[in-house]
């Protein structure tokens, strides 16, 4: 059953806030957790005081969280789950094949592909942890930390996390900075390879 409520808190950087249900004067209800991914109109950022309609589901800890959130006056849209494309995986596999080739032909020390692999696994795990914390309104990982991990070589794991667990995949400023860190990391790798030739 859909409910009506008002957004009482919103943190745009973290992508979550809270909705106060609008009930009859004699009724009381706790605030409902709202995550950006539950909002159907992704092109519009929530504002405190806006009226929304939503359905309620329970998170793994049994707390209420809003689902299928629509702004008042907008039609509810039923969406099928977005399926991630295969290009991120192909790009990451291609990158690691190039690293393996560099090692095979003696252009790279084995620690370079191994380092990328280890940092990618750690970065992917950090994204997964941060997404879980966002859902549960827990302690988040700083965006600067995620970007630093991408910069030092964890970007393949970050790219997979953004596209397959759908975390940090919508915020434009974060994505632009991520692209810059990837380009800088690859440029540094190319310089490293060319300096040993």
């Amino acid at each position: 059953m859909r409910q009506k409520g008002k957004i009482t808190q919103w943190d745009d950087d973290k992508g979550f806030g809270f909705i106060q249900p609008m009930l009859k004067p004699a009724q009381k209800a706790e605030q409902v957790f709202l995550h950006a991914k539950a909002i159907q109109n992704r092109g519009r950022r929530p504002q405190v005081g806006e009226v929304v309609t939503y359905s309620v589901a329970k998170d793994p800890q049994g707390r209420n969280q809003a689902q299928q959130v629509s702004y008042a006056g907008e039609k509810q849209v039923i969406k099928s789950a977005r399926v991630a494309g295969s290009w991120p995986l192909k790009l990451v596999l291609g990158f690691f094949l190039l690293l393996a080739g560099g090692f095979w032909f003696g252009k790279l020390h084995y620690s370079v592909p191994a380092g990328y692999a280890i940092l990618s696994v750690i970065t992917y795990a950090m994204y997964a942890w941060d997404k879980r914390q966002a859902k549960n309104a827990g302690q988040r990982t700083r965006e600067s930390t995620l970007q630093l991990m991408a910069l030092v070589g964890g970007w393949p794991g970050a790219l997979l996390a953004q596209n397959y667990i759908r975390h940090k995949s919508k915020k434009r400023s974060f994505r632009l900075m991520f692209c810059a860190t990837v380009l800088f990391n690859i440029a540094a790798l190319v310089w490293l390879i060319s300096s040993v030739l």
Side-chain angles (χ1 to χ4, degrees):
M1 183 175 105
R2 290 188 67 77
Q3 300 183 28
K4 194 173 189 179
K6 185 179 287 187
I7 298 174
T8 55
Q9 295 177 44
W10 181 256
D11 187 324
D12 203 47
D13 288 333
K14 295 181 178 177
F16 72 84
F18 292 90
I19 300 171
Q20 179 63 51
M22 297 171 71
L23 304 171
K24 294 178 182 177
Q27 297 177 306
K28 283 189 174 181
E30 292 183 3
Q31 293 188 96
V32 178
F33 179 74
L34 167 64
H35 192 276
K37 70 172 186 175
I39 300 170
Q40 295 189 327
N41 182 354
R42 299 285 180 89
R44 177 177 164 192
R45 302 307 291 176
Q47 300 293 324
V48 172
E50 282 193 288
V51 176
V52 293
T53 61
Y54 59 97
S55 56
V56 177
K58 297 286 186 184
D59 69 11
Q61 283 72 40
R63 297 173 295 191
N64 288 339
Q65 63 180 20
Q67 300 287 326
Q68 298 177 337
V69 179
S70 299
Y71 296 105
E74 291 184 351
K75 291 182 179 179
Q76 180 189 359
V77 179
I78 306 299
K79 294 181 179 179
S80 58
R82 183 178 173 184
V83 178
S86 61
W87 72 265
L89 182 59
K90 290 177 180 176
L91 178 64
V92 169
L93 288 175
F95 177 72
F96 276 101
L97 282 173
L98 287 173
L99 291 179
F103 166 68
W104 181 261
F105 292 107
K107 305 301 182 187
L108 289 175
H109 191 266
Y110 75 89
S111 61
V112 175
Y116 271 100
I118 292 167
L119 286 167
S120 292
V121 169
I122 292 170
T123 305
Y124 189 98
M126 289 174 69
Y127 270 74
W129 171 258
D130 189 54
K131 180 169 184 174
R132 181 177 178 184
Q133 291 297 92
K135 284 183 178 180
N136 299 329
Q139 182 67 38
R140 302 288 305 278
T141 302
R142 293 170 61 106
E143 287 188 350
S144 58
T145 303
L146 296 176
Q147 297 287 21
L148 179 62
M149 291 300 294
L151 179 64
V152 298
W155 67 262
L159 181 64
L160 293 178
Q162 289 173 17
N163 287 277
Y164 290 99
I165 62 174
R166 312 304 309 165
H167 189 53
K168 298 293 183 185
S169 60
K170 295 292 180 188
K171 190 174 177 184
R172 183 175 171 79
S173 59
F174 184 89
R175 296 280 288 178
L176 288 173
M177 181 59 71
F178 174 72
C179 289
T181 63
V182 172
L183 291 174
F184 187 85
N185 178 270
I186 292 174
L189 179 63
V190 169
W191 176 83
L192 175 69
I193 294 171
S194 63
S195 68
V196 297
L197 291 179

